[in-house]
Amino acid sequence: MRLILFGPPGVGKGTQAKLLSEEFGVPHISTGDMLRDAVASGTDLGGKAKAIIDAGQLVPDDVMIDAVKEVLNSPKVNRGFILDGFPRTLEQAKALAKIFDDLSIQDYKMVNLEIDDEEIIRRLGNRLVCENDGKIYNMEVDGVTTDSPCPDCGGRLIQRDDDKEETVRNRLKVYHSSTAPVLYYYKEGGDMYVVDGSGSIDIVNREIKMIVKGTGV
Ligand code: AMP
């Protein structure tokens, strides 16, 4: 299974990628998680990325391309992968095509999760993440708050700094100016499937699986 999940911040790429990763036993490669790990462990990359992420801007292409190239060249993706958060610019899309070419990867699917901006602002305002296991919760849907423990592991639930409303609005601007144009790159090649991201987690999960298994378009 080689799947690229595309779509605006907050549409549910991370949630879906985690589910599919468990169901299909292939790694979830999230460039956002890679950067957050780098920030948490205080690496050079983390030091540079923190301010960019908190401002809702994009980390430079060459940094992200090198990071993704390294993972896609590692044995951990032998059985496939779910890519979440990359490519986010035309430059990254072209670099990914080159990486796939070099690795003789022809067989992959790309799913674009669609949702409108107001729903994103609402969802991200309600999103909490477990500091310990990374699971994602929605305060409205899951009935959790920053005072409750993670229902799965008891870890602390926090709001991501970049989920504050002002940053979310910046992330959306960046999405529309730099990331959405990437869609045309794939649409021209006919490689893109579209799923309505406003449905429930279960429905979206089912639709992606139909695409992955080749029983849906
Ligand atoms: P995410 O968790 O995918 O929403 O990513 C969080 C933040 O990490 C983004 O708002 C960007 O600042 C940064 N980031 C993640 N992936 C990329 C990428 N492919 N290119 C540039 N910046 C990225």
Side-chain angles (χ1 to χ4, degrees):
M1 177 197 207
R2 297 192 191 100
L3 177 67
I4 303 170
L5 288 180
F6 191 90
V11 71
K13 300 186 297 295
T15 301
Q16 293 297 333
K18 280 192 180 69
L19 277 176
L20 294 163
S21 165
E22 280 164 22
E23 288 170 339
F24 289 84
V26 294
H28 168 201
I29 302 169
S30 154
T31 45
D33 283 349
M34 281 158 69
L35 292 169
R36 280 182 288 277
D37 286 349
V39 172
S41 35
T43 63
D44 258 10
L45 167 64
K48 285 181 201 140
K50 169 100 175 94
I52 299 175
I53 296 172
D54 287 352
Q57 301 297 323
L58 294 181
V59 171
D61 283 335
D62 54 339
V63 175
M64 299 316 303
I65 290 167
D66 282 352
V68 169
K69 197 189 279 178
E70 192 181 325
V71 187
L72 291 183
N73 273 286
S74 72
K76 103 180 212 189
V77 299
N78 278 354
R79 295 191 56 237
F81 54 80
I82 301 160
L83 196 50
D84 152 21
F86 187 98
R88 255 178 160 100
T89 64
L90 214 45
E91 222 32 63
Q92 293 181 15
K94 288 179 187 164
L96 186 62
K98 166 95 176 50
I99 296 171
F100 282 178
D101 243 18
D102 291 346
L103 293 169
S104 302
I105 293 177
Q106 279 141 7
D107 170 24
Y108 67 91
K109 287 194 169 142
M110 177 132 191
V111 172
N112 176 29
L113 296 174
E114 286 188 333
I115 197 166
D116 63 47
D117 286 6
E118 286 315 306
E119 176 66 11
I120 288 173
I121 290 166
R122 212 170 60 82
R123 277 195 189 181
L124 292 186
N126 278 305
R127 174 160 83 173
L128 295 179
V129 184
C130 173
E131 239 181 0
N132 183 44
D133 67 11
K135 289 230 167 68
I136 299 163
Y137 297 95
N138 180 294
M139 289 196 268
E140 272 179 5
V141 178
D142 302 309
V144 293
T145 69
T146 45
D147 291 329
S148 34
C150 170
D152 260 15
C153 75
R156 200 161 70 102
L157 298 182
I158 54 160
Q159 184 182 44
R160 272 169 49 175
D161 283 340
D162 61 343
D163 281 349
K164 310 251 153 68
E165 184 169 337
E166 199 193 327
T167 311
V168 170
R169 290 195 185 273
N170 281 339
R171 290 164 69 194
L172 281 171
K173 269 191 213 142
V174 170
Y175 174 77
H176 289 296
S177 62
S178 303
T179 306
V182 173
L183 282 172
Y184 296 100
Y185 178 86
Y186 288 99
K187 268 185 187 153
E188 274 176 16
D191 288 331
M192 174 76 71
Y193 298 84
V194 179
V195 169
D196 177 2
S198 66
S200 70
I201 292 175
D202 274 359
I203 291 175
V204 175
N205 177 257
R206 221 174 308 141
E207 288 192 21
I208 298 175
K209 280 196 291 206
M210 279 165 64
I211 291 166
V212 168
K213 291 176 182 162
T215 53
V217 278

